[in-house]
Amino acid sequence: MTKQKTRILVVDDEEIVRESLAAWLQEDGYRVEMAPGGEIAIERMRSGQWAVLLVDLKMPGVDGLQVLEEARKLQPDASVIIMTAYATVDTAVKAIKMGAYDYLVKPLRPEELSSMMERLITQQDMMRENILLKRALKQQYSFRDFLSKSDKVQAIFDVAKAAAGSASTILILGESGTGKELLARAIHEESRRKSGPFVAVSCAALTETLLESELFGHEKGAFTGAAFRTKGKFELARGGTLFLDEIGDISTKLQLDLLRVLEERRFYRVGGTEPIDVDARIIAATNRDLRKAIDGGTFREDLYYRINVIALTIPPLRERKEDIPLLVEHFLERLCIETGKRLEGVSAETMDLLMSYRWPGNVRELKNILERGAVLVRGPIIEPADLGLPLSEGDEGQEGAESLREMERRHILKVLNDHDWNITRSAQALGIDRVTLYHKVKKYNLKEEEC
Ligand SMILES: Nc1ncnc2c1ncn2[C@@H]1O[C@H](COP(=O)(O)OP(=O)(O)OP(=O)(O)O)[C@@H](O)[C@H]1O
Ligand SMILES: [Mg+2]
């Protein structure tokens, strides 16, 4: 940024200091404005934007530290320099801990101020460049909001982009929390139907009868309690995309209904006689192994072929660990905005731990764990202890695989104990579904009394 574009606000109650500072800085080519006290400075911060705030520590009324505190909220991108007399250097050090860029001791020397300003502006420029670079990189590694630098996922992006432009039914496979819904939304956004609605329905959450009317709607009086004619998801998704989540969980009767609807491209409301045309792109998803379900007789093979026109399988997070740093950065950036905290990142030990963990709940679990870390962390760097993940002691050498399992076992046990063995809440905290958690409890033979 050029000096003329760098706006500086000088805050000091002494007119002579204010005026001479402003004169020096203007001579150096900066754009300077002045405020004679803390109250006015805060008022100005609400309406304008400054790159640098030069603030006197001791002022009557609202003092420098209070201005600094407000600046952190109102002008988070601004650098604050505190000015102080010798007697209060301790407070200036405190100011730095509170997020000030640096402090200057009065009486000020013009050369000292100039060189500090040069240094600061260079740093701000570098940070800005860094942000732009990161943004460009992120774009390269994303399909709408879905981020990944893994080759496997990049290949999925290519197919998904091509498929988005077609009208084909798409099947998305992947473990719980791998981003199936996010990918479905990205495909919708990328399609010609993007101005239409994206309607998601979770097939696992409802009983057979409820799901039937949820999907196809019902006429008034179709069954007890059907007081009004109601539109189903197929109708609501008109002109857009219908996302049939957890399709592996629907009953065989509904599978047959669905097969007919997909073949004939029309359906009837429950209790209705008028056929309604399907005008929605269908994207189905499941975390189940449908081939196995077909072999076991719980999923219709003909429906499988009908929905499996284009299949996209998202690999689990543990098979694309290169995505972990990318996702950590992405989630922390969002958490900074949501929590108002200044999170700079995770420590090297934390990253090691995140890289060696197995992530049974995939990206959702990573997101949940970072959210928890952002709440618990005191400083700007997230340490292993802030995450509540078990430390990876002794997971080197031949025992590697064994101890990873042990790590998962201990982690699940801890989360269960933390949530009084409430399966729903524990599953949520782990970022996995309840069924998966039940399987793990059984697999690891976990018991409530074990602590
Ligand atoms: N690659 C990614 N980039 C950014 N965010 C992601 C990515 N993958 C998943 N997420 C986020 O993780 C969370 C879980 O993703 P999503 O709900 O799409 O998973 P899912 O596969 O549908 O899970 P489930 O099978 O449990 O329904 C969401 O908050 C989503 O935004
Ligand atoms: Mg989902």
Side-chain angles (χ1 to χ4, degrees):
M1 196 185 267
T2 59
K3 284 184 176 176
Q4 290 82 5
K5 283 191 192 148
T6 304
R7 289 181 72 189
I8 303 177
L9 184 66
V10 173
V11 188
D12 202 308
D13 55 317
E14 276 179 89
E15 192 178 350
I16 175 92
V17 178
R18 228 166 39 229
E19 297 283 349
S20 47
L21 262 172
W24 291 342
L25 290 164
Q26 269 157 357
E27 210 165 286
D28 278 350
Y30 299 105
R31 276 180 59 190
V32 188
E33 282 155 71
M34 291 177 277
E39 289 92 345
I40 294 178
I42 291 170
E43 223 168 81
R44 306 288 304 272
M45 280 195 267
R46 284 187 217 282
S47 52
Q49 196 82 74
W50 280 271
V52 183
L53 301 163
L54 260 168
V55 186
D56 185 28
L57 186 62
K58 273 212 169 140
M59 291 184 288
V62 175
D63 69 8
L65 289 186
Q66 285 166 289
V67 173
L68 170 64
E69 218 178 327
E70 283 302 304
R72 292 266 57 90
K73 290 183 229 149
L74 297 170
Q75 308 259 323
D77 294 331
S79 306
V80 181
I81 298 174
I82 295 287
M83 301 180 286
T84 173
Y86 269 123
T88 49
V89 166
D90 278 355
T91 332
V93 172
K94 183 173 159 206
I96 291 192
K97 283 196 182 136
M98 281 170 63
Y101 171 78
D102 209 342
Y103 66 88
L104 285 167
V105 177
K106 284 178 170 181
L108 305 180
R109 290 185 301 126
E111 320 79 66
E112 198 184 348
L113 178 64
S114 291
S115 68
M116 186 180 281
M117 285 301 301
E118 292 279 347
R119 201 160 15 107
L120 194 162
I121 301 296
T122 319
Q123 268 187 26
Q124 282 191 350
D125 280 349
M126 270 163 48
M127 268 171 71
R128 213 166 291 129
E129 231 164 78
N130 203 357
I131 288 171
L132 289 178
L133 256 171
K134 275 189 187 154
R135 205 170 288 160
L137 264 182
K138 214 165 164 184
Q139 230 151 34
Q140 190 186 329
Y141 291 138
S142 71
F143 176 41
R144 297 275 161 169
D145 291 340
F146 198 113
L147 298 180
S148 178
K149 52 163 72 168
S150 114
D151 291 343
K152 275 192 209 158
V153 180
Q154 292 277 331
I156 293 174
F157 287 173
D158 292 340
V159 181
K161 276 179 201 158
S166 76
S168 303
T169 299
I170 298 172
L171 176 63
I172 303 177
L173 301 167
E175 287 181 10
S176 182
T178 45
K180 295 185 291 297
E181 180 157 355
L182 192 64
L183 183 61
R185 284 183 192 275
I187 292 172
H188 170 72
E189 295 284 321
E190 205 65 12
S191 75
R192 266 174 267 141
R193 294 175 165 270
K194 63 166 177 266
S195 54
F198 177 90
V199 177
V201 45
S202 170
C203 301
L206 301 168
T207 61
E208 182 178 302
T209 7
L210 277 176
L211 180 60
E212 189 180 11
S213 101
E214 176 94 357
L215 287 174
F216 308 122
H218 59 254
E219 295 294 336
K220 181 177 171 183
F223 47 84
T224 356
F228 305 99
R229 165 196 273 187
T230 307
K231 283 187 181 174
K233 301 286 189 188
F234 268 95
E235 254 179 294
L236 294 171
R238 177 171 288 273
T241 302
L242 177 62
F243 178 56
L244 297 174
D245 202 2
E246 296 166 77
I247 193 145
D249 292 35
I250 58 175
S251 70
T252 36
K253 175 190 173 294
L254 265 182
Q255 287 175 30
L256 182 60
D257 290 349
L258 202 55
L259 176 68
R260 291 218 180 100
V261 173
L262 296 180
E263 266 169 3
E264 292 163 19
R265 300 294 296 174
R266 48 188 214 165
F267 62 96
Y268 296 86
R269 295 196 192 104
V270 177
T273 49
E274 286 275 302
I276 302 166
D277 286 338
V278 172
D279 174 19
R281 134 80 65 74
I282 313 290
I283 303 182
T286 182
N287 54 20
R288 288 186 194 268
D289 183 342
L290 288 183
R291 289 250 46 122
K292 234 190 226 164
I294 293 168
D295 292 344
T298 53
F299 202 82
R300 295 183 66 103
E301 194 165 15
D302 43 9
L303 177 60
Y304 175 71
Y305 287 118
R306 181 47 66 181
I307 55 174
N308 190 11
V309 184
I310 297 169
L312 303 170
T313 306
I314 310 178
L317 188 57
R318 65 183 164 280
E319 285 174 21
R320 48 180 167 112
K321 296 212 159 164
E322 63 271 42
D323 282 350
I324 294 174
L326 181 75
L327 290 166
V328 166
E329 189 166 314
H330 168 70
F331 290 135
L332 287 187
E333 219 171 80
R334 288 190 16 188
L335 284 166
C336 281
I337 298 167
E338 281 162 26
T339 61
K341 281 192 183 178
R342 277 209 151 187
L343 300 169
E344 279 166 22
V346 302
S347 69
E349 293 81 44
T350 308
M351 189 52 87
D352 283 351
L353 185 63
L354 296 176
M355 293 297 274
S356 63
Y357 183 60
R358 265 183 67 77
W359 300 111
N362 293 292
V363 183
R364 182 182 295 114
E365 188 185 11
L366 175 62
K367 190 174 166 207
N368 288 347
I369 275 177
L370 289 173
E371 266 167 30
R372 178 197 160 107
V375 172
L376 294 183
V377 71
R378 297 241 173 83
I381 305 280
I382 297 183
E383 297 294 342
D386 302 319
L387 295 180
L389 272 178
L391 284 165
S392 58
E393 316 133 5
D395 63 348
E396 291 129 18
Q398 302 151 328
E399 285 164 77
E402 187 56 36
S403 71
L404 278 178
R405 211 168 298 141
E406 177 56 24
M407 197 158 110
E408 178 175 282
R409 197 191 89 91
R410 273 191 288 136
H411 179 50
I412 292 176
L413 185 63
K414 179 174 181 301
V415 171
L416 282 165
N417 284 331
D418 285 351
H419 294 88
D420 301 326
W421 278 72
N422 178 313
I423 295 287
T424 307
R425 283 191 287 124
S426 305
Q428 255 166 14
L430 287 161
I432 58 180
D433 61 42
R434 288 170 45 225
V435 181
T436 311
L437 181 54
Y438 276 122
H439 286 318
K440 300 226 181 254
V441 169
K442 243 167 98 192
K443 174 174 150 197
Y444 293 128
N445 196 18
L446 300 175
K447 305 239 166 48
E448 199 163 347
E449 60 273 17
E450 199 179 340
C451 280

